Amino acid sequence: MDREKDLIERCLRGDPVAQKELYDRYARRMYGVCLRFAAHNLQAQDILQEGFIRVFSKLKQFRFKSPLEAWIRVIFINTAITLSKKELRYCMREPLTAGFEAGSNLMDGFMKLNMDDMVSLIQELPAGYRTVFNLYVIEGYSHKEIGRKLGISENTSKSQLLGAKRSLRKKLLELANSDGRERR
Amino acid sequence: MEEKDDRVSRQLREQFRGFEPEPPAGSWEAIRRRLDGKRAPAEAPREVWPLANWWQPRRLYPALAIAGLFLITLFIWLAVKPSHQIKGQAFIDQTELTKGTAYLFRIHDKQAPYDSVGLLRKTELDSSGHFLFEDLPSGSYLLRIHTGHDEVNGQRDLHGYYGDQLHWDSARLLSTDHPQDTYVIRIPKNR
């Protein structure tokens, strides 16, 4: 904790060595977050850069009430949401028919994939599905929190999540079919 | 169903926690450039006093280098600085010259003809025949005295070289490596 505090203080003084150290410590983990929230790798790079710029400029607001990593992660999630706001606004306007089956085996099948494939499937989702899926399933936000964060209703959040799951199931089925065809 | 979703979410969260892909090369450099760009205007007003934080290596080392260079230049200049002098007195036989001019030639080769030797300086003798050349570079010199004409003291237009010689090629050289306190030069009166 003391080392972390020292690192933050050095960053606040503008010490480039400390800034690089902080980057090295969190870049890989945060790039993982960026890849999940982005539609493609280039967008993930943009989020990574913008996220770190925001981290360094907001660092003086860090009050040591939560772990630094959690604080940085929130900044990255907010950055990702801000950078895809246009896309999100468009996607959230699409009304979804609630009540369809997401499929109970969907997530089990999803989890059997390797990480790169999982990330690719998530990236292929429309911005709204992708963001809500990331926030709800992976980051553990509630629909109420997601609604507040994205400026949508709880029900919209729920329907976006169902849409994400439906879309993922479709993609997983396509993957399974193409695998089967290859085996034959 | 919800319970199952929670379990799956937890597992997925765990799985993604270990997902640490390598960021693309050059990401940090791009961030660094943007940070530098942002910081530049904020740093400028801090330079109120140019010598602030002088002990920091980025300021101290160049300052030390400049000071060292200055000292080296000073030592070299002091070492080669013209600092020799030649002084003496001119006579005709035993009588001090009351009027005349002393000429100093810098010479590198005694065998070189007189007209190839450049005149370095000349100075007027005082009323008792004294002359002085200051701030001379080290080397060998040829000294010539021209008496001038002085009817009152019975002086005629005569000349001679150090070593009491009439001609340059038999004159003695003066060297700053073996300086004398006073050089005496006598010009023969009766030729």
Side-chain angles (χ1 to χ4, degrees):
Chain A
M1 189 69 182
D2 279 348
R3 274 194 65 190
E4 196 173 88
K5 201 172 177 181
D6 175 61
L7 180 67
I8 292 168
E9 279 166 4
R10 280 162 52 218
C11 285
L12 286 174
R13 286 199 297 270
D15 178 358
V17 179
Q19 289 173 335
K20 177 75 166 62
E21 198 181 322
L22 190 126
Y23 171 85
D24 287 340
R25 197 179 282 188
Y26 296 108
R28 292 165 67 105
R29 261 169 275 178
M30 293 310 130
Y31 189 53
V33 175
C34 298
L35 280 174
R36 277 192 288 110
F37 275 86
H40 44 79
N41 292 5
L42 274 177
Q43 196 181 8
Q45 287 177 35
D46 288 347
I47 299 170
L48 184 77
Q49 285 185 23
E50 188 59 36
F52 270 109
I53 296 293
R54 288 186 187 191
V55 165
F56 288 124
S57 61
K58 285 173 186 264
L59 205 54
K60 54 182 174 292
Q61 294 169 17
F62 181 62
R63 294 284 172 262
F64 299 94
K65 284 178 183 166
S66 60
L68 181 62
E69 185 184 341
W71 184 80
I72 290 177
R73 182 180 277 265
V74 171
I75 289 186
F76 270 83
I77 291 170
N78 290 342
T79 306
I81 291 170
T82 310
L83 290 187
S84 47
K85 210 127 213 182
K86 247 186 197 169
E87 281 174 273
L88 279 173
R89 219 175 293 146
Y90 178 75
C91 293
M92 298 299 184
R93 259 191 264 143
E94 278 181 277
L96 273 165
T97 36
F100 58 83
E101 271 298 311
S104 53
N105 293 328
L106 163 74
M107 298 313 271
D108 291 333
F110 184 66
M111 280 165 61
K112 280 176 193 157
L113 296 173
N114 66 42
M115 293 304 283
D116 289 338
D117 288 341
M118 275 194 216
V119 169
S120 295
L121 283 185
I122 294 173
Q123 284 187 340
E124 283 172 25
L125 291 172
Y129 292 180
R130 188 172 62 239
T131 308
V132 173
F133 180 83
N134 271 315
L135 289 172
Y136 185 86
V137 179
I138 300 170
E139 301 298 337
Y141 284 72
S142 67
H143 284 300
K144 199 174 178 181
E145 287 169 321
I146 295 170
R148 225 179 295 136
K149 221 173 193 28
L150 301 180
I152 55 175
S153 69
E154 267 184 74
N155 283 336
T156 309
S157 174
K158 282 177 188 169
S159 67
Q160 292 286 324
L161 180 67
L162 285 171
K165 286 180 176 177
R166 185 179 62 172
S167 195
L168 281 175
R169 185 174 61 170
K170 199 175 158 195
K171 285 176 195 299
L172 281 170
L173 281 172
E174 281 169 12
L175 265 180
N177 286 339
S178 65
D179 275 0
R181 252 178 265 131
E182 273 168 27
R183 265 184 224 137
R184 259 181 271 150
Chain B
M1 182 75 175
E2 283 220 342
E3 245 175 58
K4 186 176 180 182
D5 271 2
D6 281 350
R7 180 183 59 80
V8 169
S9 281
R10 267 200 305 278
Q11 283 178 5
L12 262 182
R13 231 171 283 157
E14 284 301 317
Q15 233 169 310
F16 274 105
R17 200 160 290 163
F19 180 51
E20 297 184 4
E22 190 66 46
S27 296
W28 168 246
E29 286 70 23
I31 294 166
R32 176 81 264 152
R33 275 195 297 276
R34 285 183 64 184
L35 286 173
D36 287 343
K38 275 191 172 181
R39 196 176 304 123
E43 267 194 358
R46 252 191 259 161
E47 301 279 327
V48 179
W49 186 46
L51 289 178
N53 302 326
W54 61 268
W55 59 88
Q56 287 181 355
R58 71 189 173 93
R59 282 164 187 241
L60 183 62
Y61 294 165
L64 284 176
I66 290 168
L69 207 62
F70 173 75
L71 285 174
I72 290 167
T73 312
L74 185 68
F75 285 136
I76 292 172
W77 183 75
L78 285 174
V80 300
K81 180 176 150 321
S83 57
H84 300 281
Q85 68 169 27
I86 289 174
K87 65 176 179 176
Q89 196 174 13
F91 295 85
I92 287 189
D93 289 339
Q94 301 301 317
T95 314
E96 297 161 353
L97 279 181
T98 53
K99 201 176 177 184
T101 311
Y103 299 89
L104 193 69
F105 301 88
R106 194 162 185 200
I107 191 161
H108 300 287
D109 179 6
K110 181 71 190 345
Q111 301 308 313
Y114 169 72
D115 55 8
S116 72
V117 175
L119 170 68
L120 186 71
R121 300 228 192 120
K122 69 174 188 176
T123 183
E124 294 300 314
L125 304 179
D126 70 5
S127 56
S128 53
H130 286 103
F131 58 88
L132 172 67
F133 296 102
E134 288 181 302
D135 297 331
L136 297 170
S138 61
S140 298
Y141 296 91
L142 195 66
L143 179 66
R144 180 180 191 259
I145 300 289
H146 190 262
T147 62
H149 191 80
D150 188 356
E151 280 185 14
V152 179
N153 294 298
Q155 253 180 237
R156 292 181 293 142
D157 269 328
L158 291 172
H159 73 267
Y161 290 89
Y162 177 65
D164 307 341
Q165 298 296 322
L166 190 61
H167 302 290
W168 71 272
D169 50 355
S170 48
R172 279 175 63 194
L173 292 184
L174 290 74
S175 172
T176 53
D177 295 336
H178 312 286
Q180 287 180 23
D181 194 32
T182 303
Y183 292 93
V184 173
I185 177 167
R186 292 174 200 284
I187 297 166
K189 194 174 184 179
N190 301 313
R191 295 189 192 167

